[in-house]
Amino acid sequence: MKFPPARSSLSPLLALCIVGLAPAAAIGQCANTWSALGTGTGASVFALAKLADGDLVAGGTFTAAGGTAAARIARWNGSLWSAMGAGFDSHVLALTKLANGDVVAGGAFTASAGTSASHVARWNGSTWSALGAGLDGWVDALAAMPNGDVVAAGEFATAGGSPAAHVARWNGTGWQPLGAGLGGDAYALLPLPDGSVVAGGVFVLAGGALANGIARWDGAAWQAMGAGTNGFVFALAALPNGGLVAAGDFTAAGAVAANRIARWDGSAWSALGAGLDGPVYALASLPNGDVVAAGSFSMAGGAAANRIARWNGASWSALGAGSNAAVNAVTGLVDASVGVAGAFTSAGGVAAGHVARLGTNCPATATAYGAGCSGSGGLNVLTAATQPWTGGTFRAVATGMPGYAFIITVLGFGQLATPLSAALPQALPGCTALVSPDVLGVVYPTAGAAQSALALPNASALAGQVFHHQFVPIEVDLSLSVLAVTSTNALTLTIGTF
C-alpha cells in the first residue's frame, strides 16, 4: 500500500498569506547591530571558530584577551574571555572545529608550553597536542572533513616529514599528501559534503596541471575550476543553493571581469555585481543565504562600505559603519549573528578590540507552547530545526510519530485550545488543536520522525510577523482505516530579518 504524494511544501500558500498581511515591521525599523565582545583582544585576530555550545574561539597575534593572559588563542563564552591552556609561541592563523568539539589550530607557531607542535595542534578541552610531526611551514587554512580527517594548507613543503606541497591531510594517525599538491601557497580551504575539498591561493598548478588560484581535490586527483582567477584567492564559502564563492585579490575569474569576488556554479564563473575595490580576506553566509565579504576594501558595488559588505544576490550594501581597519575573519554564530575579527579597534561605530558581533534588532524566534499527546510512536514533540528568517527556509521536525500514518501539518495565524475529540472521534485523550488551520499540508513519517519545510519571502518588511505551526498525526492501518489521531505541541514563530 502506497500513500498518495505528499504536499511536500506549504511554502507557496503560506507565502501568499504572509505577503497579503500588513507588514509587521515597517521598512527601516530593522537594522544590523554591532557589539563588542568584552574588551576584546590585545592585538590582531586572524581566525575564528564557532563551537556547538555557542562559544567563539579566536586566534591571532595577541597575548591577552579581556585583560587575561592568553597566548594567541582564547575562548569567548558570551560574557568572558578565557585562555585555552598555555596557547602558542607564535601566531595562530587558522582554526577549525571537529565533530566531537575538539579544536584544531594552525599557524606560525612551533610549540605550546614548551611541547613541540609544528604549526598545527589539537585542543581536547583541556590540553594541546601535536598532530604527529606536523608541517615544516606556516599553516594558513584548515578544514574539518565529513569523515573526521583534517586538511591543512599553507606555506609548507612537508607533512609528517614526507613531501606534501602546500596541502596535506591528517587521518587521525598520520599525514598524507593530496596527490602532487599545489604549485604555490594556499590560503583557503572549503570542504564539500561529497568529501572533496577546494583550495584557494596563489598557485598556478594543482597536481601538476594548470589551475589558476583555485582547484578541487576529488579524493584521487586535482581538478581545475574553469580558468581560475588572475590573482590571489584568500577566502571560500559554499552557497546554500549550490555552487561556491571565491574571493581575494583578483580582477577576473575565468573569462569574466570579477573584482575580488566571483561565483562558481559548477561549470562557469560569474561576477557578483561590481565587486569590491580592495582585497577580500574572509567570507560568511547569513541565515537567508546572503553573503558577507570582509577585508581591506572601502567600496562595494560602487558604494561606500568600510571593509565589510553584504551581497543579497542582486546588489551590494554596507553593514553599518563597518570597521576602522582590516577584517581578517568572519563566521556565522549559533544564534545566527556573525562573529567579525581583524586589526580593527572600532566596528559599526562601537569600540571593539579586534573582535565584534554583528547581529540584528529583528531576530527570528521559535517558541514552543502547549503539549503534545502520546500515540503508538510515543510522545509527539515538535521542535524548530531552523529559525524563520526572511529569504530562508524554516524547518520543523516532529518525533514520536507513528510508524504508519499521514501527518497533517498545520500553519496558521491564530492559536486554539480545542480538544481534537470534538471533531475527530478517533482522537486520543489529551490531544489538542493548538493552531488555527489556515494552511494545511501532508507529510509522512520516517523512522518515527517527520519534517516540514517553509520557504519564506526575502522581504524585510515581514520582520516581526507571527504565525504558528503544529503537526497532527493520523495513524492508519493497511486499509487506510483511521486507528488514532494525536497531536504535537505547537510553535510560535516570529519572522526575523538580517
Side-chain angles (χ1 to χ4, degrees):
M1 179 74 67
K2 290 186 176 180
F3 287 123
R7 287 170 59 186
S8 59
S9 176
L10 300 175
S11 307
L13 290 173
L14 190 68
L16 288 173
C17 293
I18 293 174
V19 170
L21 293 174
I27 295 175
Q29 282 187 317
C30 294
N32 294 122
T33 59
W34 289 91
S35 57
L37 275 61
T39 55
T41 62
S44 292
V45 174
F46 287 102
L48 294 172
K50 65 176 178 180
L51 303 185
D53 61 4
D55 288 7
L56 182 68
V57 177
T61 63
F62 55 86
T63 56
T68 300
R72 287 111 189 161
I73 192 164
R75 179 171 180 161
W76 170 257
N77 69 0
S79 58
L80 295 171
W81 287 99
S82 60
M84 296 176 68
F88 299 102
D89 64 347
S90 190
H91 312 339
V92 172
L93 303 173
L95 294 167
T96 193
K97 178 185 73 69
L98 303 184
N100 70 348
D102 287 4
V103 175
V104 178
F109 58 83
T110 57
S112 175
T115 301
S116 178
S118 187
H119 305 290
V120 63
R122 178 172 180 164
W123 174 257
N124 66 4
S126 58
T127 59
W128 290 102
S129 60
L131 272 64
L135 300 312
D136 71 341
W138 288 17
V139 170
D140 294 309
L142 291 166
M145 302 303 293
N147 69 346
D149 290 1
V150 176
V151 176
E155 303 167 38
F156 52 86
T158 66
S162 299
H166 303 287
V167 63
R169 184 169 188 148
W170 173 258
N171 65 8
T173 58
W175 288 98
Q176 302 170 332
L178 271 63
L182 304 171
D185 296 344
Y187 302 118
L189 291 169
L190 177 66
L192 300 178
D194 63 2
S196 62
V197 62
V198 177
V202 67
F203 53 85
V204 295
L205 297 175
L210 187 65
N212 289 311
I214 187 166
R216 174 178 166 267
W217 172 257
D218 66 7
W222 286 99
Q223 308 289 334
M225 298 172 68
T229 66
N230 68 344
F232 293 9
V233 173
F234 292 131
L236 297 165
L239 296 175
N241 57 352
L244 60 85
V245 173
D249 197 10
F250 53 83
T251 56
V256 176
N259 289 317
R260 283 102 187 169
I261 190 165
R263 176 178 176 172
W264 173 256
D265 66 3
S267 60
W269 291 99
S270 58
L272 273 63
L276 299 311
D277 71 339
V280 176
Y281 302 138
L283 295 169
S285 294
L286 294 178
N288 65 354
D290 289 2
V291 174
V292 172
S296 61
F297 53 85
S298 60
M299 304 282 285
N306 290 320
R307 302 167 188 89
I308 186 165
R310 169 183 184 162
W311 172 257
N312 67 2
S315 62
W316 288 99
S317 60
L319 286 165
S323 67
N324 67 343
V327 175
N328 301 322
V330 290
T331 186
L333 301 180
V334 173
D335 66 355
S337 62
V338 177
V340 180
F344 57 82
T345 56
S346 174
V350 175
H354 308 287
V355 61
R357 176 183 175 273
L358 173 63
T360 175
N361 63 355
C362 291
T365 63
T367 305
Y369 70 92
C373 58
S374 296
S376 64
L379 180 63
N380 294 186
V381 178
L382 184 64
T383 57
T386 61
Q387 298 293 311
W389 293 98
T390 57
T393 298
F394 169 73
R395 300 182 188 278
V397 176
T399 55
M401 298 293 96
Y404 198 71
F406 58 94
I407 299 163
I408 306 300
T409 59
V410 184
L411 287 158
F413 298 101
Q415 294 185 0
L416 302 176
T418 304
L420 285 174
S421 58
L424 300 168
Q426 300 92 340
L428 299 183
C431 300
T432 306
L434 299 169
V435 175
S436 61
D438 297 316
V439 180
L440 303 178
V442 179
V443 295
Y444 303 122
T446 301
Q451 178 176 282
S452 63
L454 173 67
L456 293 166
N458 194 10
S460 60
L462 298 178
Q465 180 63 60
V466 175
F467 62 102
H468 311 279
H469 193 26
Q470 184 182 24
F471 282 18
V472 178
I474 300 178
E475 186 173 0
V476 297
D477 60 20
L478 292 178
S479 67
L480 297 184
S481 297
V482 176
L483 300 177
V485 178
T486 55
S487 61
T488 67
N489 59 290
L491 301 173
T492 294
L493 307 166
T494 303
I495 299 175
T497 193
F498 204 101

